[in-house]
Amino acid sequence: MSGDIVVSLPIADWNGPFDPDLGRHAVAALEAGRVVCLTGLAFTTLPEEAVLLSPALLDNSRKNISFDPASGRVSGSAEHPALLAAMLARFARSAESMLRGLLIPYADTLWAGRTSFRPAEIAGRAYSPRHDDRRLHVDAFPSRPIGGARILRLFTVLPQASAARAWRIGEPFESVAAGFLPALPSPAPLRARLYALLGLTKGVQSAYDQMMLALHDRMKLDADYQRQASYTARTFSPGSTWLCFTDQVSHAALSGHMMLEQTFHVPVQSMLDPEQSPLRVLERLAGRALA
C-alpha cells in the first residue's frame, strides 16, 4: 500500500465476494486516516426513481434528505416519500452488505446510522460557517452522542450526476487536534446532563463528544486556519464510491451534487489499532480519559 492519502481498491460489486487481502488493505488504510476509493463500484437507480434525481426534491433551506434505516422515516423532502424511502433503504442495505463483507474485523460490531441524499449542487449556496461543509472539518454529532465510537461514512456519486464531487482532504488528525486543543473549552458534564434531560441530545455527551463537537466548530469558524491549512484536492467522478473515517479525516466538500451517503459506527475496541482513533489521540494529548 502506498503512502497516498487516497487508496484505490478494485471493488465492483456491492455483494462480493471480496478478496480478503483487499479487505485487510482497506482496514489498514482507513485506520491510518486515508480515503479508500472503490474503483468500479457505482449505485444504480431504478427507472421509476428518475423523478427523485432533482434538487427540487429538497425542502426549503435543506442541504440533504435524511433517511433513518431503523424507523424507515424520511425527512428533508415532502415529495415521493415512499419512493425515496425505498431507494434509500436499498442503498443502505447495499452499503451495509458490502462493508460487512469487506471489512471483516468490523463485521460483527458495525452498526448503521442515517442515510443521506444530497441532490442539489453544494457550490454557490449560502450556509452559516458552522454548517458550511465547504470548510475543512472533522465530523461530530451535536445531538447524537457516540462516546468515542468511530464515524465511518461511505459516499457515492450517482452516475446521472453532471459534475464530479470536489473534495479537499486536510492534515492528519493528530496535527489538527494538537493545534486546536489549547483553544477548546473544557468539557462540561453538568451541561451535558442538562441537555439530555431537556431532550436536546439523545443521551449524555461524554467529554469526548463535547471536545469533538468543539473541534468541528473551531475548525470551521477559524478563518485563518481555513485559509492557511494544507490539503490535498481530489475529485470523485459520477459513478464513484469512496469511504473514510470522517471523524479522523479532515475534509471539505467544495462542489458536486447527486450524492448518496451512508453513516456507520464502529466501536474503538473493534479496530486493529485503537491507538489511531480520535478518542485515543485526544486522550493522549489531554492526558486523561474522555469516555
Side-chain angles (χ1 to χ4, degrees):
M1 185 168 56
S2 72
D4 292 342
I5 192 64
V6 177
V7 176
S8 295
L9 298 179
I11 304 292
D13 192 317
W14 294 93
N15 298 310
F18 303 104
D19 183 337
D21 285 339
L22 289 182
R24 285 189 286 270
H25 280 305
V27 170
L30 290 169
E31 294 191 0
R34 299 179 187 176
V35 176
V36 175
C37 187
L38 306 177
T39 58
L41 186 66
F43 184 74
T44 304
T45 58
L46 303 177
E48 61 268 27
E49 293 165 349
V51 69
L52 304 178
L53 307 183
S54 168
L57 208 65
L58 281 168
D59 289 344
N60 290 338
S61 78
R62 294 294 295 264
K63 63 181 180 182
N64 70 287
I65 295 164
S66 179
F67 172 71
D68 183 353
S71 66
R73 182 169 174 257
V74 172
S75 58
S77 176
E79 303 293 326
H80 311 289
L83 196 58
L84 261 175
M87 182 183 76
L88 297 179
R90 193 174 78 259
F91 172 66
R93 290 193 301 270
S94 297
E96 184 166 2
S97 173
M98 192 272 293
L99 289 193
R100 288 191 189 279
L102 181 66
L103 308 180
I104 297 300
Y106 308 155
D108 292 337
T109 55
L110 171 146
W111 75 95
R114 292 180 178 270
T115 312
S116 292
F117 178 37
R118 302 176 185 266
E121 172 58 57
I122 190 173
R125 302 188 75 189
Y127 302 103
S128 68
R130 187 174 278 106
H131 295 97
D132 191 349
D133 291 339
R134 295 169 298 191
R135 296 175 178 231
L136 285 168
H137 65 284
V138 291
D139 284 344
F141 298 130
S143 63
R144 301 193 302 280
I146 56 176
R150 306 302 313 276
I151 302 173
L152 177 63
R153 282 187 161 151
L154 181 144
F155 309 87
T156 190
V157 181
L158 291 176
Q160 297 94 329
S162 60
R165 188 78 166 177
W167 261 33
R168 287 178 177 173
I169 303 167
E171 300 161 333
F173 179 81
E174 187 154 359
S175 298
V176 174
F180 278 96
L181 188 63
L184 299 183
S186 299
L190 290 178
R191 185 182 65 198
R193 289 197 288 272
L194 177 62
Y195 281 9
L197 185 66
L198 295 174
L200 299 177
T201 58
K202 296 176 173 60
V204 178
Q205 293 174 324
S206 66
Y208 171 79
D209 291 304
Q210 292 185 327
M211 288 185 72
M212 284 295 287
L213 187 58
L215 177 60
H216 167 278
D217 290 351
R218 291 298 173 96
M219 289 176 72
K220 283 191 172 180
L221 296 175
D222 189 326
D224 288 337
Y225 170 75
Q226 294 295 327
R227 191 166 48 248
Q228 298 169 7
S230 62
Y231 62 85
T232 299
R234 176 72 188 230
T235 57
F236 299 95
S237 60
S240 294
T241 298
W242 68 102
L243 65 152
C244 64
F245 281 118
T246 57
D247 55 349
Q248 179 181 9
V249 175
S250 173
H251 60 287
L254 303 186
S255 63
H257 65 295
M258 294 299 165
M259 189 185 76
L260 290 166
E261 173 185 319
Q262 178 61 50
T263 296
F264 297 94
H265 299 292
V266 178
V268 169
Q269 298 88 336
S270 297
M271 295 177 61
L272 296 184
D273 186 2
E275 294 306 306
Q276 296 194 89
S277 69
L279 173 62
R280 298 290 182 245
V281 170
L282 285 175
E283 287 180 335
R284 285 199 301 275
L285 292 173
R288 61 189 179 91
L290 298 175

